[in-house]
Each structure stands twice: as C-alpha cells, then as structure tokens.
Amino acid sequence: MDKKRDISAIADIARKAGEAILDVYHTDTDQWEIQQKHDNSPLTLADTVSHRIIADGLKSLFPAIPMLSEEGKDIPYEKRKKMDRYWCVDPLDGTKEFISRNGEFTVNIALIAGNEPVFGVIYVPVTGVLYYGLKDEGSFKTEGGETRRIQASPSHNPVAVGSKSHKTVEEEAFLSSLDIRDVVSIGSSLKFCLVAEGKAQVYYRHGPTMEWDTAAGHAIAVASGARMTQADGSAFVYNKPSLVNGSFICYSVNLHHKIAALSSGV
C-alpha cells in the first residue's frame, strides 16, 4: 500500500458508505426493506447500499484485489484459497443496533494477506469517528478533524467489553474466572476499538461470528498492541474453508498469562 494515500482513500470510501447508511437511517423504518437472512439475522436497504459503494470504490482503486463481503460472500473455497490478498468487508456491522437506532453500528473494511488482517478501517457513521490500524505501524483514531495514535493498555482494574445482542453465560463465567466485574456493553465492532484505545482490556466472544465481523477490528486491536487468539489460545486465522469463526479472545498483553492458563478450559 502507498500508506498515506491509500489509507486516506479507503477511509473516504468508508465515510461515503456511512453517509449512505445514514440516508436510510434517517428515513421511516417502513422504507428500510428489512429482510431476514437464512441465519435469521436482519438485512436492510442500508446494508445493500453500503456494500455497493464499498465494492465499487475498492474495485476502482485496487482492481487486482478481490473482495469478500457479508453481502457478497458466495465465493467458493476452491477459488478463495488461491487469494493471497483480499478485502474482507462488513458494509454494516451491527444491523440490530441500526434497527434499534442506538447508533452503535459501523462500516468495516479490512485487508487480509497471508490469512491475517494487516489493515483495518472502522467508521462510525453516527459520530463520524474513524479508527484504522496497519500492521507494524500502529492504530489511530480520527475524531473532530484530529488524528491521534491509540494504544491498548493494561489496568490494575481490567474492564471487559461485551455485546448488547449476544451475551452468554459462558462469557460471564470466563470473565468471573479472571476476576473481572466491570463490563461495558456496546454494539458491533466498537468492542475491538475500546480494547485498541485502552478503554477496555478484554473482549471474549463465545460462539460463532463470521470473518467479516472480526477482520477490521482484529487488525486495529493487534496493531494497537493487543492480542487476539481463538478461545483455546491458538492462532486466529482467515480464509478458512468455512468462514464461520469459533470463540475468541481479544485482550491487553498484561492479561496474557492469566488468559493462557484459562484457555485450555474455555
């Protein structure tokens, strides 16, 4: 990547997608064209419009790099496994948050290389905040026209971040075993962002997600100095035969020894 130019261009694509999402968000819900996908998760007009903007924008800038998206995921593994680089995109992460109008939804764009996310952008349409992270370069937050570096950081009183829509008893038990009682609930990939900027120290997700749900947040969190593994401590990889993820842990490095000791029992 031509770092400065390409990061700026990809951020602009995310912002344009976010603007289109807000155009839908601020209309009456009967215009949202809400549908249920095969897994019973919702799909709206905003998902579709955002997907189109991102797909067109990335193809124009990087015609040789294919895109895998929640709204365009039907690429067979026999073809996918030959892709050494590709975009992994969630055009609207947090559709349930979108429908409930709580503002906690995002646009996620990640670049996967060698089965790991090496760059990620997360844009929050309602607030205009943008996060991005690049492997070996760090992670950054743009807010109010200012960009600053963010860093995952330890705490003597670690805070966990969890989902508003997908809480489980397994997650509660895991956090209790770490003696963590302070839990912040927030929607979408914003959970990764809180770890990346040191406002939380651990995000444990029990149960399935999809690769596009995690890729951008994974890139930003790890570039900020956090770690991300499967729940058993093994590497969290992408472009698997199945795009479904297992349970995972994203955490500040100071918790490594505690989490490593627990991982075999998760």
Side-chain angles (χ1 to χ4, degrees):
M1 298 177 70
D2 181 326
K3 294 174 187 174
K4 188 173 182 180
R5 184 191 67 192
D6 289 348
I7 289 170
S8 177
I10 296 163
D12 284 346
I13 291 171
R15 290 188 178 100
K16 288 176 183 175
E19 289 170 5
I21 288 169
L22 289 181
D23 286 343
V24 178
Y25 190 63
H26 293 308
T27 62
D28 293 333
T29 55
D30 59 6
Q31 298 182 46
W32 289 5
E33 301 180 12
I34 300 173
Q35 305 172 40
Q36 294 298 121
K37 293 184 286 188
H38 69 278
D39 61 357
N40 292 321
S41 62
L43 174 73
T44 71
L45 175 63
D47 297 79
T48 305
V49 171
S50 177
H51 167 81
R52 188 179 309 120
I53 290 170
I54 296 169
D56 290 347
L58 292 177
K59 185 175 182 180
S60 176
L61 287 172
F62 309 97
I65 303 178
M67 183 179 112
L68 179 68
S69 166
E70 179 173 15
E71 311 315 330
K73 56 182 175 287
D74 297 325
I75 304 174
Y77 180 63
E78 288 303 309
K79 182 176 180 180
R80 280 196 292 111
K81 70 180 181 180
K82 300 173 184 177
M83 301 187 321
D84 59 340
R85 289 192 306 164
Y86 66 95
W87 299 106
C88 189
V89 172
D90 193 340
L92 175 51
D93 184 37
T95 302
K96 289 181 179 178
E97 277 63 47
F98 176 91
I99 291 171
S100 66
R101 292 189 188 269
N102 69 16
E104 296 173 0
F105 52 87
T106 60
V107 175
N108 299 355
I109 302 173
L111 179 65
I112 308 295
N115 301 106
E116 68 171 316
V118 295
F119 171 71
V121 168
I122 291 176
Y123 179 62
V124 192
V126 167
T127 63
V129 173
L130 183 135
Y131 298 87
Y132 69 90
L134 182 64
K135 183 180 180 181
D136 299 327
E137 298 288 337
S139 293
F140 301 84
K141 180 180 182 180
T142 298
E143 183 175 22
E146 295 185 1
T147 298
R148 63 178 179 85
R149 182 182 291 271
I150 56 176
Q151 188 77 38
S153 60
S155 171
H156 293 299
N157 298 297
V159 174
V161 64
S163 174
K164 283 187 171 177
S165 305
H166 304 282
K167 293 179 182 177
T168 67
V169 294
E170 290 86 356
E171 289 165 9
E172 291 178 0
F174 178 79
L175 296 177
S176 177
S177 65
L178 289 173
D179 199 29
I180 295 176
R181 295 179 174 82
D182 192 357
V183 181
V184 176
S185 294
I186 195 166
S188 71
S189 57
L190 287 168
K191 294 179 280 294
F192 291 105
C193 299
L194 292 188
V195 174
E197 58 182 323
K199 292 182 178 179
Q201 283 67 48
V202 61
Y203 167 29
Y204 170 54
R205 172 64 187 263
H206 179 82
T209 56
M210 303 301 292
E211 291 191 2
W212 46 78
D213 293 321
T214 58
H218 183 165
I220 293 167
V222 170
S224 79
R227 295 188 179 185
M228 179 142 161
T229 68
Q230 295 190 75
D232 64 3
S234 59
F236 193 99
V237 299
Y238 290 78
N239 208 13
K240 306 181 297 294
S242 169
L243 295 168
V244 179
N245 299 322
S247 303
F248 64 81
I249 314 167
C250 179
Y251 59 95
S252 175
V253 293
N254 69 302
L255 293 174
H256 174 66
H257 293 298
K258 283 186 177 181
I259 287 175
L262 292 170
S263 291
S264 61
V266 172

